[in-house]
Amino acid sequence: DPGTGKAFISPLDRARRQDDLLMTDQAQRIGEDSDTLGISVAKILSPSLNEEKLRNCLQSLKKRGVKLVYWAIDSHDHTAKQAALACDGFLADKKITYLLDLRSLNLAFPYADVEIYPAQIASPELEGIALEIAQLSRFSNDPKLSTEQANTLYKAWINNACQKVAAKIVLVIKKQETIIGMLSIDEKRRRGDLSLLGVAPDYQGQGLGKRLVYAALAWCIAQNYSFSQVVTHKANVKARHLYETCGFTQEKMEYFYHFWL
């Protein structure tokens, strides 16, 4: 800073340095969630730690100013589950990853009346559907996060998806120019990754969700993906039934813990 003999560090550079500090073998800062929630948020990268290693990792993150930590573990990892319990972890969600082999499917895109949403900010209809999805999220399950905070995260998610920051594409279904359903597609592990599937409450039960899923699969095939995946909550029976009806099979189940430091 001027007059101190110290080099000036801009807020952006300072944030980047903080991200670098937390880019360790065990944990990484999540900039988007940190900015949205107004607290420092990180995730533990290793899916399997014993109590001592987990406690040391959490203590290290706490010293660096982290307030909220996410940790995803395999549902069959009893050592990790015991460690999470011993370190006061909150079991925020049980998530199932579904997988589908696309190589034998014969689907073509464009599909039915599904459209590609242009790369721009999310419309009020899309944000409204995102808020419906937020109600079933692990953020809404966490009593230390308010409904407003969970909603803010999902508004940011759909806007980032629409602007191709958090997704490659967003598909929508309209009725008289009003968006009534959506689904975003990104790439994870070289797979077409489906997320943010939702239909406006007044139009649920009409097969729109299935149409969006098939359209997404057709798009993934057109992009030469061999596999598609989708992650949903174990408790969301309707979503699980939908994906299983569309041909997805369960690959794994993970427990998502939150740690407040």
Side-chain angles (χ1 to χ4, degrees), residues 232-252:
T232 191
H233 315 281
K234 181 184 178 183
N236 193 341
V237 178
K238 288 184 178 179
R240 290 174 56 193
H241 177 72
L242 169 62
Y243 298 131
E244 290 166 6
T245 300
C246 292
F248 284 88
T249 56
Q250 182 173 330
E251 180 184 30
K252 63 180 178 179

Side-chain angles (χ1 to χ4, degrees), residues 95-130:
K95 287 187 179 294
I96 296 176
T97 298
Y98 281 101
L99 182 64
L100 178 60
D101 188 336
L102 301 173
R103 291 170 293 184
S104 61
L105 292 184
N106 184 21
L107 294 170
F109 193 87
Y111 185 89
D113 55 353
V114 176
E115 303 177 19
I116 297 175
Y117 189 77
Q120 60 187 35
I121 63 172
S123 68
E125 296 97 337
L126 287 176
E127 288 192 347
I129 297 172

Side-chain angles (χ1 to χ4, degrees), residues 164-181:
K164 297 190 175 183
V165 176
K168 290 184 175 295
I169 195 171
V170 174
L171 303 179
V172 298
I173 288 182
K174 295 179 180 179
K175 183 172 183 180
Q176 297 177 347
E177 298 306 311
T178 298
I179 295 174
I180 59 174

Side-chain angles (χ1 to χ4, degrees), residues 225-238:
Y225 288 109
S226 297
F227 295 92
S228 179
Q229 70 174 32
V230 63
V231 180
T232 191
H233 315 281
K234 181 184 178 183
N236 193 341
V237 178
K238 288 184 178 179

